[in-house]
Amino acid sequence: MSGPKGGYYKAELGEPHKFDPTFRGPVHNRGCTDVLCCVIFVIVILGYIVLGTVAWMHGDPRKVVYPTDSYGQFCGQQGTPNANKAILFYFNILQCANPTVLINLQCPTTQLCVSKCPDRFATYIDMQYNYRRNKSYWDYYKQFCKPGFNNPDKPVSQVLRDEDCPSMIVPSRPFLQRCFPDFITRNGTLTVANKTNFKDGHGKVRSVVDLRDAANGITSLLDAKEVGVKIFEDYASSWFWILIGLVISMLVSLIFILLLRFTAGVLFWMVIFGVIVAVGYGIWHCYWEYSTLKGKPDSDITISDIGFQTDFRVYLQLSQTWLIFMISLAVIEAIIIIVLIFLRSRVRIAIALLKEGSKAIGCIMSTLFYPIITFLLLALCIAYWAVTAVFLASSGEAVYKVMSTLPDCKYTNLTCDPETFSQSNVTKLCPGSQCTFAFYGGESLYHRYIFVLQLCNLLVFLWLVNFTIALGQCTLAGAFASYYWALRKPEDIPPCPLASSFGRALRYHTGSLAFGALILSIVQFIRIILEYLDHKLKGAHNAFTRFLLCCLKCCFWCLEHFIKFMNRNAYIMISIYGKNFCASARDAFFLLMRNVMRVAVLDKVTDFLLFLGKLLISGSVGVLAFFFFTRQIPVIQEEVPSLNYYWVPLLTVIFGSYMIAHGFFNVYAMCVDTLFLCFCEDLERNDGSPSKPYYMPPGLHRILNKTDQGGKKYAVS
């Protein structure tokens, strides 16, 4: 097995590397890896651009954004008769079952574009009666009739049969560019225009409650809109202080990482000691409860005797319960102490690596700001995917389907022609049915495969996102490896290590990064399909199918996390040696297996301390924000803006602080992982002699009882 020139070494599969006297850290004289995958990746990107272009040519996002009438025309579209009619009006909203049906344009009633919503109660019968005395009644009512209809003398039965005009209109207001009844609650009574009843145009008096049931949930949506306006006002008045809070969290995160070189060990051992004390107290308390209950009558009944009880307090009256608790806590305490005794050296190594990671970031501060590049690239990928998906979804011509209120109508959801629908047999067999616009589609090859193109859009999106993350991991790993393999730190660290590492990753290893990202993307794509199938089978009664699907979801979840772990370490090896993805993944796997206990200890110690740091930063900044926005800091009490909901900026600051800390600590975690692999390589390559000196920092030297005077070999385990 051989690597690029300048980084050559020999090793059997799974065996430690032999010493390479020319090795001095990340290989600079390297060649391109996984070229075939790189070519495929570039072709896919070009194809993705073509897909977006074709979708842009055929799609029209207005079809998704703007409401469409029963004739497939946009409301408010310039250059059409609906240019000044931006609101959708429903002839008979009572036929609409729920707001979801309304918003998706699947309500079985005629829908027209209007310039404004009705502002009064009226029926066509009343209009026709009053029209004979005052023409203005018709002038107002006809704006809610079909375009071109201007015959107020036409018999009411024929007008309603042909749906030339609505049988009634009710006071409404626009919401989501659609006319919904203007509900107002007065003294606990639901009203529309101060009325609780109205005529439906068919000779019946209906309650406004029927309107509420037909438009179920609309009032809550309107209330949500008011809340949304207040939240926007809060953001507008508090954005400056939110920004200050986020800047504080960024500074605290930076300080926390830089101070970990001094506090990592103290934090870890304090928490471990606290856990031991807490578990010890739990054992004592359980013993005290057990001793107290031991002499009481009925306390010696076993849990199996009383069976399952919904009231947990029943079990607390049994001495056996506390005995079980005491034994369980004693076992946990024993495990913690035994693990600390036998793994204390590995815990010390993990803490030393955490401290060294803090020093490395202090020497290469630019790495802390690399997540901004990753964020911008991810935002670009997400935006392109979303725009392409919208244009694909809005491709095609208007498709009309039969909508009927009758549950047994066999023509429901069949395609129809609105021009000839009134003369068809459907209106006779299914009275009240409508030929309503449903969606946009077509019969061409492009339109038939839009769903497939959407799947391709999703898969390439996942590939690009995972490639962006892989590029960031490889770049950071290369920079931190340059730090570790510098014999004299920081004097021997090469200039601009982050920029150099980014250039190497992009120039030589695009194919390898794309290869690893593709494997992960395929697994994620399968998981999304499984989630979709699980959602579709929610109401299924086939227990075996649900069980099989659950097992598959669990397996692919585990597979995804394993691949993420292996990819991360493979990218570290790529950044150091410049080998292809498969070789790097294999080397990383065997290196980790030869140091499996160290991997486990380091992983858990790192996760624990970083999680503690995230909670500490977001919690402390959140507490400060709480006291500020609730005016409990007298010094700056007058500076606090007036808010509708103080929790709006408070939650924003807490969530933003956590995400900022997460971004900083991701860099730190990558640093620790890189230093750990370099440390394992250092142990296998060198023995501390003058000819083969260690590159590890003095702190690790002392822990391993090693000196550069050589001779004594440390067993890798």
Side-chain angles (χ1 to χ4, degrees):
M1 178 169 57
S2 63
K5 184 178 179 181
Y8 180 84
Y9 63 90
K10 296 180 179 179
E12 298 297 329
L13 188 63
E15 293 295 324
H17 304 293
K18 294 183 178 180
F19 176 70
D20 175 16
T22 66
F23 183 76
R24 291 295 183 270
V27 178
H28 296 280
N29 185 18
R30 58 179 75 193
C32 296
T33 56
D34 295 304
V35 178
L36 178 60
C37 192
C38 179
V39 173
I40 295 174
F41 184 59
V42 172
I43 293 174
V44 168
I45 292 178
L46 294 177
Y48 197 33
I49 295 174
V50 171
L51 174 61
T53 304
V54 173
W56 178 79
M57 293 171 59
H58 289 83
D60 189 346
R62 292 176 301 176
K63 299 174 183 177
V64 178
V65 177
Y66 295 109
T68 311
D69 64 13
S70 296
Y71 305 100
Q73 298 175 335
F74 302 130
C75 296
Q77 181 181 9
Q78 297 298 319
T80 68
N82 292 332
N84 298 320
K85 301 176 180 179
I87 307 171
L88 193 67
F89 170 74
Y90 298 90
F91 263 35
N92 189 356
I93 199 172
L94 292 173
Q95 294 183 13
C96 303
N98 55 63
T100 305
V101 171
L102 292 176
I103 295 171
N104 290 331
L105 305 177
Q106 298 298 318
C107 182
T109 187
T110 301
Q111 302 150 26
L112 290 179
C113 297
V114 296
S115 57
K116 63 179 181 179
C117 295
D119 59 5
R120 67 196 70 170
F121 280 110
T123 66
Y124 190 82
I125 296 174
D126 293 338
M127 182 281 304
Q128 198 173 56
Y129 175 77
N130 293 317
Y131 162 72
R132 297 182 179 89
R133 295 179 298 165
N134 190 338
K135 305 292 185 183
S136 64
Y137 281 93
W138 170 243
D139 292 336
Y140 179 80
Y141 204 93
K142 72 177 182 181
Q143 62 183 321
F144 305 108
C145 297
K146 288 183 178 179
F149 179 75
N150 193 20
N151 184 11
D153 296 320
K154 185 176 179 179
V156 175
S157 59
Q158 295 182 21
V159 171
L160 300 183
R161 180 198 63 192
D162 299 336
E163 292 214 354
D164 294 319
C165 292
S167 63
M168 63 169 183
I169 57 175
V170 298
S172 306
R173 58 174 167 172
F175 180 71
L176 300 176
Q177 291 184 273
R178 293 158 175 86
C179 291
F180 291 129
D182 189 6
F183 297 111
I184 299 176
T185 302
R186 296 185 182 278
N187 299 323
T189 303
L190 185 68
T191 65
V192 174
N194 295 323
K195 292 185 178 182
T196 57
N197 298 295
F198 66 96
K199 298 177 181 178
D200 66 356
H202 294 280
K204 295 180 180 179
V205 178
R206 307 285 291 266
S207 170
V208 295
V209 176
D210 296 333
L211 287 174
R212 183 195 62 188
D213 295 338
N216 183 31
I218 297 304
T219 52
S220 60
L221 289 175
L222 294 173
D223 292 339
K225 183 180 180 181
E226 294 180 6
V227 172
V229 171
K230 292 182 179 179
I231 290 175
F232 179 79
E233 292 174 352
D234 288 343
Y235 277 125
S237 59
S238 62
W239 67 269
F240 178 74
W241 298 103
I242 292 175
L243 188 62
I244 290 179
L246 297 180
V247 170
I248 291 174
S249 65
M250 184 179 70
L251 295 176
V252 173
S253 300
L254 177 61
I255 294 171
F256 184 87
I257 289 177
L258 296 179
L259 289 180
L260 273 179
R261 71 180 71 178
F262 308 110
T263 60
V266 176
L267 273 176
F268 178 79
W269 290 116
M270 280 181 61
V271 174
I272 289 296
F273 179 75
V275 170
I276 292 175
V277 171
V279 175
Y281 171 79
I283 295 173
W284 174 84
H285 182 77
C286 292
Y287 176 76
W288 181 81
E289 291 283 357
Y290 173 76
S291 301
T292 304
L293 292 172
K294 190 66 176 173
K296 292 184 178 181
D298 299 329
S299 64
D300 57 346
I301 301 175
T302 62
I303 295 176
S304 59
D305 291 337
I306 65 172
F308 176 74
Q309 300 290 329
T310 55
D311 189 356
F312 184 73
R313 289 174 296 181
V314 174
Y315 298 105
L316 298 181
Q317 305 302 319
L318 305 179
S319 59
Q320 187 186 53
T321 302
W322 293 103
L323 179 62
I324 293 174
F325 285 165
M326 181 178 66
I327 294 174
S328 301
L329 290 176
V331 170
I332 294 173
E333 184 88 333
I335 291 175
I336 293 175
I337 294 174
I338 291 172
V339 167
L340 289 176
I341 291 174
F342 287 95
L343 297 181
R344 63 186 184 280
S345 61
R346 290 177 176 82
V347 171
R348 293 175 62 201
I349 293 173
I351 293 174
L353 284 171
L354 288 170
K355 294 179 179 179
E356 195 62 26
S358 177
K359 294 179 183 178
I361 290 178
C363 293
I364 315 176
M365 291 287 290
S366 57
T367 55
L368 287 175
F369 302 98
Y370 184 84
I372 297 176
I373 298 176
T374 301
F375 172 78
L376 294 176
L377 291 176
L378 289 177
L380 179 63
C381 294
I382 294 172
Y384 188 86
W385 166 77
V387 170
T388 303
V390 169
F391 273 91
L392 283 173
S394 60
S395 298
E397 303 298 328
V399 175
Y400 301 87
K401 289 193 173 185
V402 177
M403 295 294 164
S404 176
T405 56
L406 301 177
D408 56 348
C409 179
K410 63 180 181 180
Y411 296 101
T412 301
N413 286 329
L414 295 181
T415 56
C416 58
D417 185 355
E419 301 295 331
T420 61
F421 183 74
S422 58
Q423 288 80 36
S424 66
N425 291 329
V426 179
T427 54
K428 300 176 182 178
L429 298 174
C430 301
S433 59
Q434 296 290 321
C435 184
T436 307
F437 167 79
F439 56 86
Y440 288 93
E443 298 300 326
S444 67
L445 182 65
Y446 169 76
H447 294 113
R448 285 201 301 267
Y449 286 95
I450 280 183
F451 181 72
V452 176
L453 294 177
Q454 287 281 25
L455 293 179
C456 294
N457 181 31
L458 176 62
L459 179 59
V460 179
F461 164 71
L462 293 174
W463 195 0
L464 290 174
V465 166
N466 287 315
F467 174 81
T468 302
I469 296 173
L471 178 62
Q473 291 175 342
C474 190
T475 298
L476 292 173
F480 294 127
S482 299
Y483 167 86
Y484 185 93
W485 295 109
L487 193 59
R488 295 176 302 160
K489 302 174 179 62
E491 292 83 2
D492 291 344
I493 300 176
C496 304
L498 183 66
S500 301
S501 178
F502 180 81
R504 288 195 302 270
L506 207 57
R507 179 179 179 183
Y508 297 111
H509 306 302
T510 296
S512 297
L513 301 180
F515 189 17
L518 177 61
I519 297 173
L520 180 59
S521 301
I522 292 174
V523 174
Q524 291 174 336
F525 184 72
I526 295 174
R527 283 197 64 203
I528 292 175
I529 294 177
L530 291 174
E531 290 291 344
Y532 173 78
L533 292 176
D534 183 54
H535 177 73
K536 287 296 183 182
L537 295 174
K538 282 291 184 184
H541 300 290
N542 191 327
F544 176 75
T545 303
R546 297 298 304 277
F547 172 75
L548 180 62
L549 198 59
C550 183
C551 291
L552 288 174
K553 287 171 58 179
C554 180
C555 291
F556 276 95
W557 181 88
C558 295
L559 180 61
E560 179 186 356
H561 283 73
F562 175 75
I563 291 175
K564 282 183 177 180
F565 175 76
M566 286 308 306
N567 280 7
R568 183 183 180 93
N569 289 283
Y571 299 148
I572 295 175
M573 300 299 281
I574 289 173
S575 69
I576 298 174
Y577 299 111
K579 301 169 68 177
N580 62 48
F581 176 80
C582 291
S584 299
R586 179 191 59 200
D587 292 344
F589 177 77
F590 285 114
L591 182 62
L592 293 173
M593 288 301 100
R594 293 193 297 270
N595 297 271
V596 63
M597 292 304 299
R598 287 177 181 160
V599 173
V601 172
L602 177 69
D603 186 56
K604 296 308 173 187
V605 170
T606 303
D607 289 346
F608 175 74
L609 285 181
L610 296 188
F611 177 72
L612 201 65
K614 292 174 188 178
L615 288 183
L616 179 65
I617 292 169
S618 58
S620 58
V621 175
V623 169
L624 180 63
F626 173 78
F627 284 120
F628 174 78
F629 288 115
T630 55
R631 301 176 183 272
Q632 297 187 40
I633 303 179
V635 180
I636 52 176
Q637 201 173 47
E638 300 298 326
E639 301 294 332
V640 181
S642 179
L643 301 171
N644 297 298
Y645 311 109
Y646 74 86
W647 50 263
V648 171
L650 176 61
L651 292 181
T652 304
V653 169
I654 293 175
F655 179 75
S657 299
Y658 185 86
M659 295 307 297
I660 289 174
H662 181 72
F664 274 93
F665 290 168
N666 271 350
V667 174
Y668 183 71
M670 194 68 202
C671 175
V672 173
D673 289 346
T674 303
L675 295 182
F676 174 71
L677 282 185
C678 293
F679 166 72
C680 294
E681 283 282 292
D682 196 9
L683 283 178
E684 295 187 353
R685 289 177 172 276
N686 307 314
D687 58 9
S689 63
S691 59
K692 293 186 286 186
Y694 286 118
Y695 288 82
M696 66 183 71
L700 286 173
H701 270 258
R702 289 191 294 271
I703 292 173
L704 296 175
N705 295 319
K706 286 181 171 288
T707 64
D708 277 340
Q709 302 307 313
K712 189 177 179 181
K713 179 83 174 177
Y714 182 85
V716 179
S717 59

